[in-house]
Amino acid sequence: MADIALQIRVDADTDTTYRAISTPDGVAGWFTTGAEVGEGAGALHRLSFPGSTPATWDFRVETADPGKRLTQTVVAGPPQWIGTEIVYALEAHPEGGTVVRFDHTGFAAVDDMFREVTMGWAGMFTRLKEYVETGTPVPHFTV
């Protein structure tokens, strides 16, 4: 199995950061404007990615602990993603802001797609940082 692990510190509180990863407006602010996002455990996040096959991917929320943790399982999307788990763990930094620890686990192999996804997530988190720090939307995907 292959896993992605990233960490970034943002100059925003944990509640603001959590809203950015767990609400329709938040997800549209840094990830994709094609975001249908349900709230709470068991909810579905249906995200659209123009130019991707398939164009719409589904993430089921497994754990929703506001301000602290969001865990998702990919239930529809590219075959390599099905069954992978995405975890956002948030922690207040002692000097201010929030530390976002991100894991995307369960990929079958380190192949070209995995390498592209790793770079993609790294780029996404620079957008997350900009969005939560400024409040100005900077979505990577515009539907």
Side-chain angles (χ1 to χ4, degrees):
M1 292 282 184
D3 300 334
I4 299 168
L6 301 170
Q7 178 173 312
I8 191 167
R9 182 175 167 196
V10 299
D11 188 20
D13 62 35
T14 57
D15 291 334
T16 298
T17 306
Y18 187 81
R19 283 191 302 277
I21 63 173
S22 67
T23 67
D25 288 342
V27 174
W30 65 280
F31 199 0
T32 179
T33 59
E36 296 174 33
V37 177
E39 295 186 41
L44 196 64
H45 290 192
R46 177 164 284 151
L47 307 181
S48 297
F49 304 107
S52 296
T53 304
T56 303
W57 306 4
D58 293 343
F59 303 72
R60 184 180 59 240
V61 176
E62 304 295 341
T63 305
D65 189 358
K68 296 181 182 178
R69 185 178 190 87
L70 180 70
T71 305
Q72 304 168 318
T73 299
V74 181
V75 295
Q80 302 96 322
W81 282 57
I82 303 298
T84 61
E85 183 177 70
I86 297 170
V87 177
Y88 301 85
L90 310 178
E91 182 180 318
H93 191 278
E95 296 174 15
T98 300
V99 175
V100 180
R101 291 183 182 89
F102 173 83
D103 296 291
H104 191 169
T105 61
F107 288 94
V110 176
D111 57 12
D112 288 347
M113 184 278 312
F114 175 82
R115 293 174 193 283
E116 289 179 23
V117 170
T118 302
M119 288 298 296
W121 277 124
M124 296 295 182
F125 281 97
T126 61
R127 289 175 181 273
L128 173 65
K129 179 178 176 63
E130 183 177 349
Y131 175 61
V132 299
E133 290 181 351
T134 67
T136 302
V138 288
H140 184 77
F141 297 98
T142 303
V143 177

